[in-house]
Amino acid sequence: MGIIEASAIPLASVATATLSTLSSPSTTITASTLWSDQPALIMVVRRPGCKLCRAQALELAALRPRLKALNIRLAAVSHQTDSIEEFARDYFNKDNADGATENVWIDSSRAFYKALGEGGKERERNTILGLFSWKMLRNNSGADKLGARGNLSGEGGIMGGVMLVGKGDAGVKWAFQEVDFGDRAPQE
């Protein structure tokens, strides 16, 4: 799987990224706002319409009560807007009384993706081959068991992940990088 050395994540390049809200009119924040006053667990969404990404969102959403008790913010960033509102409402914020979209952000500069390695030639090659791998089939079966449904809307060649950022200037404490389609961060 894709657990990566947290110290390898260049947080400085992510911290200054501009993130946009899903609301209209859109407002913006600097990414460091997400972890300025409390740690943040951030899902970096590969493709909001992907049922495999939606399965990861459901698993993270289930952690919300534990994260809240630990004073850890749960947020998601996506580099695209296709299917993002449905992703936010029906998966990432399912059963969240705090709101349907307030903790899902658009990262149009792809700063979080670049920090996680974003892909490169090897991942570009895996875009086609990865669709037919046994790992993808296994991940697809797991998504079905969670009740995730998806569509083919959007660009799915850039892999996502999850990162835990410490409060303030504490840096990245843990990071998971999607290697194969639908890899989900371990829940321990």
Side-chain angles (χ1 to χ4, degrees):
M1 286 247 184
I3 295 179
I4 56 178
E5 183 63 40
S7 62
I9 304 291
L11 188 61
S13 63
V14 173
T16 59
T18 300
L19 303 178
S20 305
T21 61
L22 303 184
S23 61
S24 182
S26 181
T27 58
T28 61
I29 64 166
T30 302
S32 62
T33 304
L34 295 176
W35 58 84
S36 64
D37 60 347
Q38 68 187 103
L41 185 65
I42 302 167
M43 178 181 181
V44 183
V45 184
R46 180 175 58 83
R47 189 173 61 80
C50 172
K51 81 175 183 179
L52 304 171
C53 299
R54 290 173 173 191
Q56 175 75 85
L58 287 170
E59 289 179 340
L60 292 174
L63 295 176
R64 186 173 277 110
R66 284 183 29 204
L67 294 171
K68 197 169 197 171
L70 294 168
N71 194 35
I72 298 173
R73 173 176 283 121
L74 180 60
V77 296
S78 174
H79 64 96
Q80 56 190 314
T81 58
D82 287 343
S83 304
I84 192 68
E85 289 187 17
E86 181 184 358
F87 169 87
R89 180 188 64 242
D90 299 342
Y91 295 92
F92 194 73
N93 287 317
K94 187 176 183 176
D95 302 323
N96 180 16
D98 293 338
T101 62
E102 101 283 328
N103 58 355
V104 178
W105 303 88
I106 302 299
D107 174 20
S108 57
S109 69
R110 298 182 177 186
F112 283 86
Y113 300 87
K114 292 172 186 170
L116 284 174
E118 188 171 20
K121 296 298 179 197
E122 183 176 327
R123 290 217 181 135
E124 288 173 14
R125 187 177 70 245
N126 286 340
T127 301
I128 301 297
L129 299 176
L131 292 174
F132 302 103
S133 73
W134 68 268
K135 287 181 181 179
M136 196 294 226
L137 296 173
R138 180 196 65 208
N139 292 340
N140 192 49
S141 174
D144 286 341
K145 289 176 185 171
L146 289 170
R149 300 290 174 257
N151 61 51
L152 298 176
S153 178
E155 189 265 306
I158 295 176
M159 298 299 194
V162 178
M163 61 174 64
L164 176 63
V165 182
K167 178 181 174 181
D169 294 329
V172 176
K173 300 299 182 184
W174 178 87
F176 173 83
Q177 181 180 43
E178 185 180 24
V179 175
D180 293 300
F181 286 114
D183 282 346
R184 296 194 302 270
Q187 299 297 305
E188 315 69 69

